[in-house]
Amino acid sequence: PNAPDVSDPRGLTERETQVVTMVLFAQTNKLIAYNLGLSTGRISTLLRSAMRKVGVQTRGQLIARLHDFVAVARG
């Protein structure tokens, strides 16, 4: 388990990271669920958990936050 306030996406679980990565490629929850073999409800839960940990409330904010993180990480 991770601390609830993880601003760095490296603090996400492996499954949360998979879901977030697919969100970055503009996949819907339904398509993510199909690709990972999970229910759409489980995808929603994982996505909400990841967004809470990163400190955002919407998919758009999540994408923007991670875009900023990747830009800083690349130097």
Side-chain angles (χ1 to χ4, degrees):
N2 294 313
D5 293 324
V6 177
S7 60
D8 186 334
R10 292 175 293 190
L12 300 177
T13 67
E14 181 178 348
R15 194 58 101 177
E16 289 168 344
T17 301
Q18 290 173 331
V19 170
V20 168
T21 299
M22 291 180 178
V23 166
L24 293 175
F25 285 100
Q27 293 187 6
T28 64
N29 285 8
K30 188 173 183 177
L31 186 56
I32 296 169
Y34 176 79
N35 287 330
L36 295 179
L38 300 171
S39 71
T40 54
R42 182 67 180 139
I43 298 304
S44 294
T45 300
L46 289 164
L47 187 55
R48 275 193 316 269
S49 175
M51 291 190 319
R52 179 182 45 80
K53 288 178 181 180
V54 176
V56 298
Q57 295 181 356
T58 67
R59 283 173 100 100
Q61 290 172 341
L62 179 66
I63 291 166
R65 174 73 55 93
L66 294 182
H67 180 271
D68 293 344
F69 177 79
V70 170
V72 168
R74 288 185 182 165

